[in-house]
Amino acid sequence: MKTQAWEELDVRLSDSVLKTLKKLKFVNMTPVQAACIPLLLSGKDVAAEAVTGSGKTLAFLVPLLEILQKRPEKWKTMEVGAIVISPTRELATQISEILGEFLKRIPSLKQVLLVGGVTLQEDAEKLKKGVNIIVATPGRLEDILSNCTSIHLCVKSLELLVLDEADRLLDLGFSTSLDSILSYLPRLRRTGLFSATQTKELQQLIRAGLRNPALIVVKEKSNVSTPVNLNNNYIIVQPEYKLSIMIDFIRSKGFQTKYMIFLSTCACVDYFSQIIQTLLPSINVLALHGKMKSKRYKVFDQFRNAKSGILICTDVMARGIDISEVNWVLQYDPPSTASCFVHRCGRTARIGNEGNALLFLLETEDAYVDFIKRNQKVELHRIEKEPTKNTVEESLRYMRDLQQKDRLIFDKANRAFVSYIQAYNKHECNLILRLKDIDLGKLAMGFGLLRMPKMPELKGRDVSSFNGPKIDVNTIAYANKQRESHRIEKLTKYQSTGVWPSNRKHRQKQTEAWSEAKKRKLEKQEKQSKRKEKKKLKQQLSTVSGKKKRKRINEEDLEELAKDIALMKKLKKKKITQEEFDTAFGI
């Protein structure tokens, strides 16, 4: 990656910023930094696209600090000059930590991190202590702006708004939150959009939110969307040998390094993290996914500070996260979107370092290699590796032994398999990654299942290749005694009534395929929409009818009043007698 010294910028950076850059060992600028910093400092809006790991964070933090320091007026205690919005807690926390290193030399500026996990009241208290820079996730920032009216005046002096991983913000469905946030912010500001990929939604956001933006596209090599020092590989495996081949691969590369293993669902992370830790006791195995909430950052920080280990995670860790010395990114499943493939790989080979990535594909998924080459311009090199008989037997034995020792692991194994099938059915590339092509019996063997679960997607499928142990799964107990006691109570009722008791008031509905459930949900939404429209139309007609009725009543009253006035005039002029007047008035 071509670089140049920070001193070569046309604008002289402040000593505090230069000293911190030197301390953090950022000796030279990367191309995206050299392109963006001068434009933002000159007052331009910027929309930057650069490969993952190219140094986008400093591309907006350095100009942000320079802009705030060079304002003639001193910043008030509660006056926000810059806001950075990031899609995930981990990325927002990482940005906040880097910013904190710079602010150690700039005591006049204070930052606040708003990422959820605490109450709104606690965040409001943090803001009252003083804030000039906000680093936040969109949901929490929207909550703060909507519920804390005192912050509205604080953002009126906003100089710079940054949307980091802007395409991911839109992918995660934050467009409504962003619209709400933008409505509170002043229009006369600088805006920076930073992303690794361009999408149609991002183009719309650029057109709507930026005034004559400078579009910057930084690529290291023509038609390449990943760093040139990243070795991209793939391996073709049988579904029943997938785990054992990965275990052999990690053993061959050694335990004195860092691995990130990406799985498709949270349930798969929960299950396989326990299996892999049992199979590889010599290395620390951590698990992280989006449903972990408050525990997520603790796990992330633990892995980041470790010298070696394995982090098993979902795509919540695929964007922007900078973890040093990740040597191998192992994609156990093809990612749900093509762009996510690039972002997963980008967790290694960052800022000029070398890295390696390996994608595990089933024999039925080999077309995915050509798809990635055409769609993301990434060339994948094939690795040949056969499973060793010992590891295959060891993996299956450990998986099944763990399930029989604790029913909780048995539940996790089944949930993992079911969630994998459902996620696979919804894959973006379902034209080439088709569930009907996979031998689900062999796939279940790869999960080490004790029996095939009951699910709609298995109806009519040949699963004769599944070879389960001859055991009664009802005899498998929970290690937790209280949980086991509750299960035995339910099992006894089931054996006597033939119906499994549910905590719900009504009997649980029979499970159905996600596609059918989605179809039914859409039909229900359509019916609700029609009912609302009908009700609205009825109200409108009722309103119009009421207005007409009131209008008619008013006209009748006026006519009656006019007649009464005419009678009174006639009485006054003695054209009629008092008796005639009383009769006419009904007296």
Side-chain angles (χ1 to χ4, degrees):
M1 185 181 284
K2 191 178 178 182
T3 59
Q4 62 185 104
W6 292 99
E7 288 77 13
E8 293 178 26
L9 270 174
D10 295 336
V11 182
R12 165 74 183 175
L13 299 179
S14 61
D15 288 339
S16 57
V17 170
L18 285 172
K19 285 178 181 177
T20 306
L21 288 168
K22 189 176 180 181
K23 180 190 171 186
L24 297 174
K25 297 180 181 178
F26 295 119
V27 181
N28 296 318
M29 288 184 290
T30 61
V32 69
Q33 293 162 1
C36 293
I37 293 171
L39 289 169
L40 285 169
L41 289 176
S42 64
K44 299 256 185 198
D45 285 348
V46 169
E49 176 193 352
V51 293
T52 184
S54 57
K56 292 189 288 292
T57 303
L58 286 184
F60 60 77
L61 281 185
V62 169
L64 179 154
L65 292 165
E66 292 297 324
I67 289 166
L68 299 194
Q69 285 186 92
K70 287 175 181 176
R71 193 178 84 152
E73 302 89 8
K74 188 180 177 182
W75 289 95
K76 296 175 185 175
T77 307
M78 279 191 68
E79 189 179 16
V80 179
I83 294 176
V84 180
I85 300 175
S86 179
T88 65
R89 294 182 189 184
E90 289 77 19
L91 187 49
T93 304
Q94 183 177 282
I95 292 166
S96 177
E97 287 177 355
I98 297 170
L99 179 59
E101 290 295 323
F102 284 93
L103 295 183
K104 286 178 183 177
R105 298 177 187 270
I106 313 171
S108 59
L109 297 176
K110 292 182 179 180
Q111 68 148 326
V112 167
L113 176 66
L114 305 173
V115 293
V118 295
T119 63
L120 279 174
Q121 191 176 355
E122 287 176 285
D123 277 339
E125 290 299 319
K126 281 196 291 185
L127 291 167
K128 285 177 184 176
K129 291 177 183 177
V131 58
N132 306 116
I133 305 166
I134 291 175
V135 180
T137 48
R140 178 42 60 104
L141 182 58
E142 183 189 16
D143 286 343
I144 289 289
L145 290 170
S146 302
N147 296 291
C148 304
T149 51
S150 58
I151 198 72
H152 294 172
L153 290 173
C154 301
V155 298
K156 295 297 179 187
S157 302
L158 189 74
E159 292 276 353
L160 177 63
L161 170 68
V162 174
L163 302 181
D164 189 28
E165 300 291 350
D167 53 333
R168 182 65 172 160
L169 285 168
L170 298 174
D171 287 345
L172 291 173
F174 286 125
S175 54
T176 306
S177 294
L178 290 175
D179 290 340
S180 176
I181 291 165
L182 293 172
S183 69
Y184 292 103
L185 306 182
R187 294 196 176 191
L188 291 175
R189 63 169 192 270
R190 273 163 277 199
T191 305
L193 268 65
F194 292 81
S195 65
T197 52
Q198 288 282 355
T199 62
K200 289 179 182 178
E201 292 83 1
L202 188 57
Q203 291 293 340
Q204 290 169 0
L205 184 62
I206 290 169
R207 286 195 291 271
L210 279 69
R211 295 169 290 114
N212 299 319
L215 298 173
I216 297 169
V217 179
V218 178
K219 291 186 178 178
E220 298 181 341
K221 196 177 181 182
S222 60
N223 298 324
V224 173
S225 56
T226 57
V228 290
N229 49 353
L230 171 62
N231 301 311
N232 275 300
N233 309 286
Y234 76 98
I235 186 169
I236 300 293
V237 297
Q238 294 280 354
E240 70 270 39
Y241 303 141
K242 195 175 184 181
L243 178 64
S244 54
I245 286 177
M246 186 176 73
I247 295 297
D248 274 342
F249 181 83
I250 293 172
R251 284 171 175 166
S252 69
K253 296 299 176 183
F255 300 145
Q256 303 305 312
T257 186
K258 281 185 177 180
Y259 301 87
M260 287 183 75
I261 301 174
F262 284 96
L263 299 176
S264 55
T265 71
C266 300
C268 286
V269 170
D270 281 337
Y271 173 58
F272 280 109
S273 59
Q274 289 190 264
I275 300 302
I276 292 170
Q277 182 65 88
T278 306
L279 289 166
L280 301 173
S282 303
I283 189 169
N284 188 28
V285 177
L286 299 168
L288 194 154
H289 57 72
K291 291 182 180 178
M292 291 172 71
K293 303 299 178 188
S294 56
K295 193 181 174 184
R296 271 165 53 182
Y297 183 69
K298 186 179 178 182
V299 173
F300 167 64
D301 200 44
Q302 190 178 344
F303 181 68
R304 189 173 53 174
N305 294 327
K307 290 183 179 179
S308 61
I310 298 173
L311 180 65
I312 302 174
C313 54
T314 57
D315 287 333
V316 74
M317 291 293 288
R319 299 292 290 258
I321 302 300
D322 190 11
I323 301 173
S324 61
E325 298 172 354
V326 173
N327 296 87
W328 279 94
V329 168
L330 306 178
Q331 302 194 54
Y332 196 71
D333 308 315
S336 58
T337 63
S339 60
C340 203
F341 172 87
V342 173
H343 295 298
R344 283 180 172 187
C345 295
R347 297 318 95 216
T348 183
R350 298 184 68 80
I351 317 286
N353 296 317
E354 286 194 4
N356 306 280
L358 177 61
L359 172 65
F360 290 81
L361 294 174
L362 305 180
E363 288 182 329
T364 57
E365 298 171 340
D366 58 348
Y368 191 75
V369 176
D370 188 55
F371 168 76
I372 285 296
K373 183 179 179 180
R374 292 171 183 273
N375 190 283
Q376 294 295 314
K377 309 295 187 290
V378 176
E379 190 83 39
L380 297 174
H381 307 286
R382 183 165 180 172
I383 291 177
E384 299 287 348
K385 194 169 183 65
E386 291 295 322
T388 59
K389 187 180 178 182
N390 289 341
T391 310
V392 171
E393 292 174 353
E394 179 193 24
S395 300
L396 186 60
R397 186 177 70 254
Y398 270 113
M399 284 190 282
R400 287 181 167 171
D401 284 350
L402 283 171
Q403 290 179 64
Q404 291 179 65
K405 285 177 183 175
D406 186 357
R407 193 176 187 87
L408 185 63
I409 308 296
F410 171 75
D411 290 343
K412 285 184 177 182
N414 283 280
R415 276 198 292 268
F417 181 78
V418 170
S419 69
Y420 177 87
I421 296 292
Q422 292 173 340
Y424 203 90
N425 238 343
K426 294 184 280 187
H427 203 287
E428 181 191 64
C429 307
N430 55 18
L431 290 175
I432 57 174
L433 303 180
R434 300 182 301 180
L435 186 66
K436 67 179 183 179
D437 295 336
I438 300 177
D439 186 328
L440 297 183
K442 289 183 177 180
L443 184 69
M445 293 293 288
F447 278 74
L449 299 189
L450 299 178
R451 68 169 185 186
M452 293 297 293
K454 293 178 181 178
M455 57 187 299
E457 287 81 1
L458 295 182
K459 286 181 180 177
R461 295 294 301 268
D462 178 15
V463 291
S464 57
S465 54
F466 177 75
N467 183 21
K470 293 179 181 179
I471 60 167
D472 181 3
V473 292
N474 286 326
T475 61
I476 301 172
Y478 285 109
N480 183 302
K481 290 181 180 179
Q482 188 177 355
R483 196 166 191 168
E484 176 58 15
S485 174
H486 189 56
R487 186 188 76 87
I488 292 295
E489 187 182 327
K490 283 188 171 184
L491 184 62
T492 306
K493 287 181 182 178
Y494 170 73
Q495 288 170 343
S496 61
T497 63
V499 178
W500 187 265
S502 173
N503 293 328
R504 299 175 187 175
K505 290 181 181 179
H506 303 288
R507 188 179 173 183
Q508 204 169 7
K509 291 181 181 177
Q510 191 177 1
T511 56
E512 58 184 334
W514 73 268
S515 54
E516 290 298 320
K518 187 176 180 181
K519 184 181 176 183
R520 189 164 48 78
K521 187 179 177 183
L522 289 171
E523 287 173 355
K524 188 178 177 182
Q525 287 174 345
E526 192 177 347
K527 284 179 182 177
Q528 287 175 341
S529 179
K530 283 180 180 178
R531 277 201 298 269
K532 284 181 182 177
E533 286 178 15
K534 195 175 179 181
K535 189 177 178 182
K536 191 176 178 182
L537 184 62
K538 195 175 179 181
Q539 287 174 342
Q540 288 174 345
L541 289 171
S542 176
T543 305
V544 171
S545 175
K547 285 180 179 177
K548 286 181 178 178
K549 192 175 180 181
R550 286 195 296 274
K551 188 176 180 182
R552 189 166 63 250
I553 291 168
N554 291 339
E555 286 173 357
E556 288 172 0
D557 288 347
L558 286 170
E559 286 176 11
E560 198 69 34
L561 184 62
K563 287 177 183 178
D564 291 345
I565 293 168
L567 283 170
M568 290 172 73
K569 284 180 179 180
K570 284 181 181 181
L571 178 64
K572 194 175 182 181
K573 291 178 181 180
K574 297 182 179 180
K575 289 184 180 181
I576 58 173
T577 64
Q578 184 67 45
E579 286 182 6
E580 289 173 330
F581 178 79
D582 290 344
T583 304
F585 260 82
I587 297 170

